[in-house]
Amino acid sequence: MSETGGVREVKSAARTVELLELLAARGDRPARLQELADELEVPRSSMYALLQTLISRGWVRTDVTGSLYGIGIHALLTGTSYLDSDPRVRLVRPYLDEASQSLGETIHMARLDGRDVAYLATRESHEYLRTISRVGRRLPAHVGALGKALLAERPDGELPEGPYRALTPNTRTSREALAADLAGVRARGWSIDREEGVLGIVGFGFALRYDTPAQDAISCSVPVARLSAAHEERIVAVMRETRAKIESRAPGGGGGSVHWRS
């Protein structure tokens, strides 16, 4: 049995979290009871009882036949509470608005979570609107500007061995290729994602160094068709200025604010 900080893990709590994470990862693909039981390697009867408990609490939902299961609305409510209570997100939001208005492009904020980045805030361009919001979604850190900006704040020895999952033909899938790219990020001070995560989109990422190592980053995403050398230069200038403003206003050690561990 695993331990955290010398405290034995509570098996039932761990199983509940694993189930919720599994349902969340499936997105719009509901699961059947047997699928969930097989995936988590628990008895069908135990999985059924857990699902019924979570349905009654709003964490899981089921269809009219009672045979399909998906993530429930309470997951959204809890996620919204996380965003609303986080002082970093509250600090950054108005600067995302400012940068988006100045550049006419989409601006993101994300946080490193293991080997992924989780999107915490987005201001969409009026020129290029996604049909699905990225807030609350995850992307492997090695494929995007946000993740690479944060990986560059850490020693290359922390990189996993690979090979890494490719999302486009441009994704760097080897440890060596990613490390070489991160060396360039450190030299420049920001990262560039040229259609590595999404075809047709270039991203510019900037780590927010109010924590050491940085946990959060901001980025600007631009369709390739609208990106010129002059526009790229302006994006970098505006985003560097935005980062400086955010870092200068970041909460310090006092003031009664809570500083959470990631």
Side-chain angles (χ1 to χ4, degrees):
M1 182 174 291
S2 62
E3 294 188 359
T4 302
V7 178
R8 183 178 298 178
E9 182 178 80
V10 179
K11 187 175 182 179
S12 59
R15 182 175 293 172
T16 301
V17 172
E18 289 167 0
L19 172 60
L20 293 173
E21 289 180 342
L22 175 58
L23 289 173
R26 292 179 65 92
D28 62 354
R29 295 179 298 112
R32 296 186 179 275
L33 172 60
Q34 193 61 55
E35 290 179 276
L36 298 172
D38 291 344
E39 180 72 22
L40 297 182
E41 298 181 344
V42 301
R44 181 185 174 97
S45 59
S46 298
M47 177 57 66
Y48 180 78
L50 178 55
L51 285 167
Q52 296 309 307
T53 299
L54 292 173
I55 289 170
S56 69
R57 300 297 183 98
W59 285 91
V60 171
R61 58 180 170 173
T62 188
D63 70 333
V64 293
T65 69
S67 61
L68 295 173
Y69 301 93
I71 197 72
I73 194 170
H74 277 216
L76 170 64
L77 300 178
T78 300
T80 301
S81 177
Y82 176 89
L83 295 175
D84 291 343
S85 66
D86 190 285
R88 307 301 203 196
V89 177
R90 290 201 305 270
L91 167 70
V92 170
R93 277 173 174 159
Y95 294 104
L96 300 187
D97 291 332
E98 184 180 296
S100 183
Q101 291 170 7
S102 177
L103 294 169
E105 305 295 353
T106 298
I107 313 296
H108 301 290
M109 174 192 184
R111 181 164 295 162
L112 193 65
D113 182 26
R115 296 183 181 182
D116 299 335
V117 290
Y119 285 79
L120 303 181
T122 292
R123 295 298 180 265
E124 296 283 2
S125 164
H126 294 300
E127 301 294 329
Y128 177 78
L129 291 174
R130 289 185 179 84
T131 57
I132 300 176
S133 172
R134 279 208 173 179
V135 175
R137 298 180 183 274
R138 300 163 68 90
L139 191 70
H142 69 276
V143 302
L146 289 159
K148 292 197 296 180
L150 292 168
L151 292 178
E153 297 291 305
R154 292 155 172 79
D156 288 344
E158 295 183 11
L159 295 175
E161 285 302 319
Y164 310 140
R165 180 162 64 102
L167 296 191
T168 77
N170 300 320
T171 303
R172 289 172 171 81
T173 58
S174 73
R175 192 176 190 273
E176 293 74 19
L178 179 59
D181 190 20
L182 296 181
V185 175
R186 297 181 188 107
R188 282 190 307 271
W190 66 89
S191 65
I192 303 174
D193 154 25
R194 297 193 185 277
E195 302 184 81
E196 296 165 40
V198 179
L199 288 175
I201 299 295
V202 176
F204 301 84
F206 298 75
L208 298 174
R209 295 167 179 147
Y210 43 55
D211 294 312
T212 305
Q215 300 295 322
D216 300 340
I218 56 174
S219 73
C220 177
S221 296
V222 191
V224 173
R226 254 204 335 271
L227 188 61
S228 64
H231 192 32
E232 182 169 328
E233 185 176 338
R234 173 162 168 72
I235 287 169
V236 170
V238 169
M239 294 300 290
R240 290 179 70 178
E241 181 181 3
T242 300
R243 171 169 63 182
K245 289 178 181 178
I246 292 170
E247 290 176 345
S248 71
R249 294 291 306 279
S257 59
V258 178
H259 299 282
W260 301 101
R261 291 191 299 175
S262 297

